[in-house]
Amino acid sequence: MVHFVQILLYGIVLGSVIALGAIGVSLIFGILRFAHFAHGDLMTLGAYLALAGVSGLSLPMFFAFLIGIAGTAAISVGIDRVLYRQLRRVSPIILLISSLGVALMVRSSIQMIWGPDNKIYSGGVTMPWVVEGIRIKPEWIYIVGGAVVLMVLLHLFLQRTRLGKAMRAMSDNADLARVSGIDTEKVIIWTWIIAGVLAAAAGIFLGLDTRLHPIMGWKLLLPVFAAAIFGGIGKPYGAIAGALVIGIAQEFSTLFISPAYKPAVAFGLMVAILVWRPTGLFSGKVL
Amino acid sequence: MEFSGLISYLVFFLSMAGIYGILALGLNMQWGYTGQINIGVAAFFAVGAYTAAIVTTSPSPDYLGGFGLPFVVGLVLAMLVAGVLALFVGLVTLKLRSDYLAIATIGIAEIVRLFLKNEDWLTNGVRGIPAIPRPFGNLGGVDDSVAFLLIVLLMVAGVYWTMQRMFRSPWARVLRAIRADEDAVMASGKNVLRFRTEAFVIGSMFMGLGGALYAHFTGFISPEAFDPMFGTFVVWVMLIAGGSGNNRGALLGAVVIWAVWTMTESLTSMLPGDLVTQASALRVFLIGLLLEIILLTRPQGMLRERPPRPIDDGAGERQAR
C-alpha cells in the first residue's frame, strides 16, 4: 500500500509537469492548427532562463521563476512574429516542419550558452519528508501547488475574460470568430504568451524535481503530445486529465517493465486512444 | 600521398552522400509525393542498419546472430523489416491528418532507440555491433572502398529510377492528388488509406536500404550513431533545400547539405578542444536557420517539382514508346 501511494505521488508530480506542457500544445493545436514540435525545447529554455536568474544573478527561486516564464513567453511571441506568422499563410504542415527547425535552434542555443552538461538549481540535496513511510520531496509541494495555481488562473482567464472567450471562440471556429470581429492576431499573441508561460513553468518544475539538461524538454515532448491527444485536442481540461493519466501510467509501468521504456507507455496510450476514440476523452478535435 | 588521401576522402564523401541521397529519396516518396510527415527517418534507418548487421556478421555469443548471410540477403531483409515497422505505424495513424503521423513517428523513433540501447540479447546494447563485413572486403585498401562506392551509386541509381518511374505512373498521380485534396480523391472512389500506406511503406523501405548500406559502409554500428533528432532533421533539410517532389532535387540537396555539413566539421575540428562542443552546437543551429530561411524565401527548394504533363488522346503513350 505504501509502495502504491509512493508511485501514485511520482505519477502526480510527473503528470503536473506534463499537463503544463500539454495545455500549451493543445491551445496551439486549437488556435493555430499545427503540432508545435518546439514545445519541449521551450520548456528547456524556461528552465535555463530561471537557472540564469538563480546562479547568474543569485536571485531567490521565486524571482528566477518569474524571469524564466516572462523570458520564454517573450521569446515564443518573438518566434511567432518573425517566423510562424509569415508561414501561416502557406499551410499548417509547413508550420510543423518549421517548428522542428525552431526546436533544434533553441536547443543548440542552450548548448552554446550553458554547455551540454547537467545542471541543478541549488547545491545541497533537500531531505525528503517521511510520512507513514511515504517519502515526499519538499519540491513536490511547489511543483503540484504551482501547477494547480497556474491551471486555476488559466481557467479564470478562459471563462471570465473577454480575451479568454475570444480564444475559445477561435478554437471552436476560426472563420466564425474572424467574421464576428475578433482580433485574431491579438488572440494568437496571447496564445503564445500563455503557452510560453506554461511551458517554462513545466521546464522549471522538471528542473526542480530532477536536473537541467539541454534535451530534458525534448524527452518530454512525446508524453506531452500523448496527453494532449488523449484528453482531446483543443480542450485544456482534457489535456490536464490526459497528463495525469499518462504520468501515473508511466510511473506504474515501472512495476512491470524496465523504466527505460517509460516513453513507450505514453506512446501506447496515445495509439490506443487514436484507435478507440480519436477525439480523445473530452471530445476534442480530430485534425 | 596527398593525392591518394584526396581520393579516399572523395570516396568517403560520395559514399555518404549516396546513402543520404537514398534517405532523401525515401522521404520524397512520403513528403514530396504524398505530403506525409515522417519525423522518424532515423528509426527506419537504424532498423535497416541493425537488420543488415545482425544477418551478415559472423556468429557472436554477445547478440542474436550473426548469421553470416550474404550482403544482398541483408539488404532485402533490412528493407522488409523497415517496411513492416512502417506498416504498423501507418495502419494506426494514416487515416488521420499528417500531424498524428508526425507525432507517432517521433514515438517510434524514441522507442526504436530505447530498444536498440536496452535489448542486449538482440543488439549488443550500447557496445554496438562490430566487424560488419563489406562485399569485396578482401580487396583491401582503397579498392575495397571504391568497390563499395560503386555499389552505393548503383543502389542510388536503382532507387532514383524506381522513384522516377513511379512519379510518372497513375499511382503517384493519385498520391499527388491526395496531397492536394484528399476529400476529392476519396469522392472519386480511390482507397486513400491504401495509397497512403503504400507510399509510407515504400519510402520507409528505402530508408531501411540506406541504413543497411550505412552499416556495411562504417563496419560498426551502435545506438549512438542514430540520434533520432539530428539524423532525421538533416534528411529533411536535404529534401526541402533540394526541392520536395523532385527526385533530382532530393539527390542534389543530399550532396550539397552533406558537403556543407562535412566541410564545416573540418573547419570546427581545428578549434581548441573546449570550443569544439560549442562549435558543433553552432553548426546544428545554422542548419536549423538554413531550413527556416529556405521555408521563408524559397519553399520550393533548388529544383522545383515538375509534374508530368497530362496525357490526352494517346499522345503521351506514343511519346513514352
Side-chain angles (χ1 to χ4, degrees), chain B residues 55-79:
Chain B
V55 300
T56 61
T57 44
S58 14
S60 155
D62 296 333
Y63 56 90
L64 181 76
F67 296 102
L69 292 173
F71 173 70
V72 178
V73 178
L75 293 189
V76 172
L77 284 177
M79 290 176 76

Side-chain angles (χ1 to χ4, degrees), chain A residues 166-220:
Chain A
M167 202 174 266
R168 284 187 292 140
M170 200 172 154
S171 179
D172 279 342
N173 189 333
D175 293 330
L176 198 59
R178 201 169 290 121
V179 294
S180 46
I182 288 174
D183 182 354
T184 51
E185 280 300 311
K186 190 174 158 198
V187 170
I188 288 172
I189 289 177
W190 276 95
T191 305
W192 283 111
I193 292 175
I194 292 169
V197 163
L198 296 179
I204 296 168
F205 290 157
L206 186 64
L208 270 179
D209 189 31
T210 55
R211 54 194 174 280
L212 288 83
H213 188 269
I215 60 167
M216 60 193 269
W218 172 259
K219 282 193 164 171
L220 220 55

Side-chain angles (χ1 to χ4, degrees), chain B residues 145-167:
Chain B
S145 317
V146 172
F148 193 73
L149 172 62
L150 291 178
I151 294 175
V152 171
L153 294 181
L154 203 68
M155 293 290 165
V156 173
V159 173
Y160 175 77
W161 183 81
T162 314
M163 291 284 292
Q164 286 293 77
R165 282 306 295 259
M166 285 174 165
F167 190 67

Side-chain angles (χ1 to χ4, degrees), chain B residues 72-134:
Chain B
V72 178
V73 178
L75 293 189
V76 172
L77 284 177
M79 290 176 76
L80 277 180
V81 176
V84 168
L85 182 66
L87 187 64
F88 164 73
V89 181
L91 286 181
V92 180
T93 53
L94 285 175
K95 59 176 193 274
L96 301 160
R97 213 184 83 165
S98 289
D99 298 64
Y100 290 100
L101 179 66
I103 295 166
T105 49
I106 46 165
I108 283 293
E110 182 66 9
I111 289 168
V112 165
R113 192 182 65 85
L114 292 173
F115 187 82
L116 297 178
K117 220 164 138 181
N118 291 300
E119 301 303 315
D120 290 24
W121 59 272
L122 180 64
T123 63
N124 207 19
V126 286
R127 288 180 299 280
I129 297 182
I132 305 162
R134 268 187 203 178

